[in-house]
Coordinates of all heavy atoms in Angstrom, one line a residue:
E4 N -11.8 14.2 -86.6 CA -11.0 15.4 -87.0 C -9.5 15.2 -86.8 O -8.7 15.5 -87.7 CB -11.5 16.7 -86.3 CG -12.9 17.1 -86.6 CD -14.0 16.3 -85.9 OE1 -13.6 15.5 -85.0 OE2 -15.1 16.5 -86.3
H5 N -9.1 14.6 -85.7 CA -7.7 14.4 -85.5 C -7.2 13.2 -86.3 O -6.0 13.3 -86.7 CB -7.5 14.1 -84.0 CG -7.8 15.2 -83.1 ND1 -7.8 15.1 -81.7 CD2 -8.1 16.5 -83.4 CE1 -8.1 16.3 -81.2 NE2 -8.3 17.2 -82.2
I6 N -8.0 12.2 -86.6 CA -7.5 11.2 -87.5 C -7.3 11.7 -88.9 O -6.3 11.4 -89.6 CB -8.6 10.0 -87.5 CG1 -8.7 9.3 -86.2 CG2 -8.3 9.0 -88.6 CD1 -9.9 8.4 -86.0
A7 N -8.2 12.6 -89.3 CA -8.0 13.3 -90.7 C -6.8 14.1 -90.7 O -6.1 14.2 -91.7 CB -9.3 14.1 -91.0
L8 N -6.5 14.8 -89.6 CA -5.3 15.6 -89.5 C -4.0 14.8 -89.5 O -3.0 15.1 -90.1 CB -5.4 16.5 -88.2 CG -4.2 17.4 -88.0 CD1 -4.1 18.4 -89.1 CD2 -4.4 18.1 -86.6
A9 N -4.1 13.6 -88.9 CA -2.9 12.7 -88.9 C -2.7 12.2 -90.3 O -1.5 12.1 -90.7 CB -3.2 11.5 -88.0
R10 N -3.7 12.0 -91.1 CA -3.6 11.6 -92.5 C -3.0 12.7 -93.3 O -2.1 12.5 -94.1 CB -5.0 11.2 -93.0 CG -5.0 10.7 -94.5 CD -6.3 10.2 -94.8 NE -6.4 9.7 -96.2 CZ -7.5 9.1 -96.7 NH1 -8.6 8.9 -95.9 NH2 -7.5 8.7 -98.0
E11 N -3.5 14.0 -93.1 CA -3.0 15.1 -93.8 C -1.5 15.3 -93.5 O -0.7 15.6 -94.4 CB -3.8 16.4 -93.5 CG -3.3 17.6 -94.2 CD -3.9 18.9 -93.6 OE1 -4.8 18.8 -92.8 OE2 -3.4 20.0 -94.0
A12 N -1.2 15.2 -92.2 CA 0.2 15.5 -91.9 C 1.2 14.4 -92.5 O 2.3 14.7 -93.0 CB 0.4 15.4 -90.3
A13 N 0.7 13.2 -92.5 CA 1.5 12.1 -93.1 C 1.6 12.3 -94.6 O 2.7 12.1 -95.2 CB 0.9 10.7 -92.8
Q14 N 0.6 12.7 -95.3 CA 0.6 13.0 -96.7 C 1.7 14.0 -97.0 O 2.5 13.9 -97.9 CB -0.7 13.5 -97.2 CG -1.8 12.5 -97.3 CD -3.2 13.1 -97.5 OE1 -3.4 14.3 -97.4 NE2 -4.2 12.3 -97.9
K15 N 1.7 15.1 -96.2 CA 2.6 16.2 -96.5 C 4.0 16.0 -96.1 O 4.9 16.7 -96.4 CB 2.0 17.5 -95.8 CG 0.7 18.0 -96.5 CD 0.2 19.3 -95.8 CE -1.0 19.8 -96.5 NZ -1.6 21.0 -95.9
S16 N 4.2 14.9 -95.3 CA 5.6 14.6 -94.8 C 6.3 13.7 -95.8 O 7.5 13.7 -95.8 CB 5.5 13.9 -93.4 OG 5.0 12.6 -93.5
I17 N 5.6 13.0 -96.6 CA 6.2 11.9 -97.5 C 7.0 12.6 -98.6 O 6.5 13.6 -99.3 CB 5.1 11.0 -98.1 CG1 4.5 10.2 -96.9 CG2 5.7 10.1 -99.2 CD1 3.3 9.4 -97.3
V18 N 8.2 12.2 -98.8 CA 9.1 12.8 -99.8 C 9.3 11.8 -101.0 O 9.7 10.7 -100.8 CB 10.4 13.1 -99.2 CG1 11.3 13.8 -100.2 CG2 10.3 14.0 -98.0
L19 N 9.0 12.3 -102.2 CA 9.3 11.5 -103.4 C 10.7 11.8 -103.8 O 11.0 13.0 -104.2 CB 8.3 11.9 -104.5 CG 8.5 11.2 -105.9 CD1 8.3 9.7 -105.7 CD2 7.5 11.7 -106.9
L20 N 11.6 10.8 -103.8 CA 13.0 11.0 -104.1 C 13.3 10.7 -105.5 O 14.3 11.2 -106.1 CB 13.8 10.1 -103.2 CG 13.7 10.5 -101.7 CD1 14.5 9.4 -100.8 CD2 14.3 11.9 -101.4
K21 N 12.6 9.8 -106.1 CA 12.9 9.4 -107.5 C 11.6 8.9 -108.2 O 10.7 8.3 -107.5 CB 13.9 8.2 -107.5 CG 14.2 7.7 -108.9 CD 15.3 6.6 -108.9 CE 15.7 6.1 -110.2 NZ 16.7 5.0 -110.2
N22 N 11.4 9.3 -109.5 CA 10.2 8.9 -110.2 C 10.6 8.7 -111.7 O 10.1 9.5 -112.5 CB 9.1 9.9 -110.0 CG 7.8 9.3 -110.4 OD1 7.6 8.1 -110.5 ND2 6.8 10.2 -110.7
K23 N 11.3 7.7 -111.9 CA 11.8 7.4 -113.3 C 10.7 7.1 -114.3 O 9.8 6.3 -114.0 CB 12.8 6.2 -113.3 CG 13.3 5.8 -114.6 CD 14.3 4.6 -114.5 CE 14.8 4.1 -115.8 NZ 15.7 2.9 -115.6
N24 N 10.7 7.9 -115.4 CA 9.6 7.7 -116.4 C 8.2 7.8 -115.9 O 7.3 7.1 -116.3 CB 9.8 6.3 -117.1 CG 11.2 6.2 -117.8 OD1 11.7 7.2 -118.3 ND2 11.7 5.0 -117.9
N25 N 8.0 8.6 -114.9 CA 6.7 8.8 -114.3 C 6.1 7.5 -113.8 O 4.9 7.2 -114.1 CB 5.8 9.6 -115.2 CG 6.3 11.0 -115.5 OD1 6.7 11.7 -114.6 ND2 6.2 11.4 -116.8
T26 N 6.9 6.7 -113.2 CA 6.3 5.4 -112.6 C 5.1 5.6 -111.7 O 4.1 4.9 -111.8 CB 7.4 4.7 -111.8 OG1 8.5 4.3 -112.7 CG2 6.9 3.4 -111.2
L27 N 5.2 6.7 -110.9 CA 4.1 7.1 -110.1 C 3.4 8.3 -110.6 O 4.0 9.1 -111.3 CB 4.6 7.4 -108.7 CG 5.4 6.3 -107.9 CD1 5.9 6.8 -106.6 CD2 4.4 5.1 -107.7
P28 N 2.1 8.4 -110.4 CA 1.3 7.5 -109.6 C 0.9 6.2 -110.4 O 0.9 6.2 -111.6 CB 0.0 8.4 -109.3 CG -0.1 9.3 -110.5 CD 1.4 9.6 -110.9
I29 N 0.5 5.2 -109.6 CA 0.0 4.0 -110.2 C -1.5 4.0 -110.4 O -2.2 4.6 -109.5 CB 0.4 2.8 -109.2 CG1 1.9 2.8 -108.8 CG2 -0.1 1.5 -109.7 CD1 2.2 2.0 -107.6
S30 N -1.9 3.4 -111.4 CA -3.4 3.3 -111.6 C -4.0 2.4 -110.6 O -3.5 1.3 -110.3 CB -3.7 2.8 -113.0 OG -5.1 2.5 -113.2
K31 N -5.2 2.8 -110.1 CA -5.9 2.0 -109.1 C -6.4 0.7 -109.8 O -6.8 -0.3 -109.0 CB -7.0 2.8 -108.4 CG -6.5 3.9 -107.5 CD -7.7 4.6 -106.8 CE -7.2 5.7 -105.9 NZ -8.3 6.4 -105.3
D32 N -6.5 0.7 -111.1 CA -7.0 -0.5 -111.8 C -5.9 -1.4 -112.2 O -6.1 -2.3 -113.0 CB -7.7 0.0 -113.0 CG -9.0 0.7 -112.7 OD1 -9.7 0.4 -111.7 OD2 -9.4 1.7 -113.4
V33 N -4.7 -1.2 -111.6 CA -3.6 -2.1 -112.0 C -4.0 -3.6 -111.7 O -4.6 -3.9 -110.7 CB -2.3 -1.7 -111.1 CG1 -2.6 -1.8 -109.6 CG2 -1.1 -2.6 -111.5
K34 N -3.7 -4.4 -112.7 CA -4.2 -5.8 -112.6 C -3.6 -6.6 -111.5 O -4.3 -7.3 -110.7 CB -4.1 -6.5 -113.9 CG -5.0 -5.9 -115.0 CD -4.8 -6.7 -116.3 CE -5.8 -6.1 -117.4 NZ -5.6 -6.8 -118.7
V35 N -2.2 -6.6 -111.5 CA -1.6 -7.5 -110.5 C -0.5 -6.7 -109.7 O 0.7 -6.6 -110.1 CB -0.9 -8.7 -111.2 CG1 -0.3 -9.6 -110.1 CG2 -1.8 -9.4 -112.1
P36 N -0.9 -6.0 -108.7 CA 0.0 -5.3 -107.8 C 0.6 -6.2 -106.7 O -0.2 -7.1 -106.2 CB -0.8 -4.2 -107.2 CG -2.2 -4.7 -107.1 CD -2.3 -5.7 -108.3
Y37 N 1.8 -6.1 -106.4 CA 2.5 -6.9 -105.4 C 3.1 -6.0 -104.3 O 3.8 -5.1 -104.6 CB 3.6 -7.7 -106.1 CG 4.4 -8.6 -105.2 CD1 3.8 -9.3 -104.1 CD2 5.7 -8.9 -105.5 CE1 4.6 -10.1 -103.3 CE2 6.5 -9.7 -104.7 CZ 5.9 -10.3 -103.6 OH 6.7 -11.1 -102.8
V38 N 2.7 -6.3 -103.1 CA 3.2 -5.5 -101.9 C 4.1 -6.5 -101.1 O 3.7 -7.6 -100.8 CB 2.1 -5.0 -101.0 CG1 2.7 -4.3 -99.8 CG2 1.2 -4.0 -101.8
T39 N 5.3 -6.1 -100.8 CA 6.2 -6.9 -100.1 C 7.2 -6.1 -99.3 O 7.1 -4.9 -99.2 CB 7.0 -7.8 -101.2 OG1 7.8 -8.8 -100.5 CG2 7.9 -6.9 -102.0
G40 N 8.1 -6.8 -98.6 CA 9.0 -6.1 -97.7 C 8.7 -6.3 -96.3 O 7.6 -6.6 -95.9
P41 N 9.8 -6.2 -95.4 CA 9.6 -6.5 -94.0 C 8.7 -5.6 -93.2 O 8.2 -6.0 -92.1 CB 11.1 -6.4 -93.5 CG 11.8 -5.5 -94.4 CD 11.2 -5.8 -95.8
F42 N 8.4 -4.4 -93.8 CA 7.6 -3.5 -93.0 C 6.3 -3.1 -93.8 O 5.6 -2.2 -93.3 CB 8.4 -2.2 -92.8 CG 9.5 -2.4 -91.9 CD1 10.9 -2.2 -92.3 CD2 9.3 -2.8 -90.6 CE1 11.9 -2.4 -91.4 CE2 10.4 -3.0 -89.7 CZ 11.7 -2.8 -90.1
A43 N 6.0 -3.9 -94.8 CA 4.7 -3.6 -95.5 C 3.5 -3.8 -94.6 O 2.5 -3.1 -94.8 CB 4.6 -4.5 -96.7

């Protein structure tokens, strides 16, 4: 229950600052997604 609450709290804390041309959300079927960056 607490793990689920931590997930809910994180979801509701995240702020979308920009979404040009409705880039998000991404399809889960995207063929070649790339995750990068020092904190990924």
Side-chain angles (χ1 to χ4, degrees):
E4 292 78 12
H5 292 174
I6 294 169
L8 181 59
R10 181 175 182 173
E11 178 190 351
Q14 290 169 344
K15 292 182 176 180
S16 72
I17 293 169
V18 183
L19 179 61
L20 297 174
K21 180 179 181 180
N22 196 20
K23 181 180 177 182
N24 299 327
N25 297 318
T26 296
L27 300 178
I29 304 164
S30 170
K31 291 182 180 179
D32 293 323
V33 59
K34 290 182 180 178
V35 186
Y37 178 34
V38 177
T39 187
F42 293 118

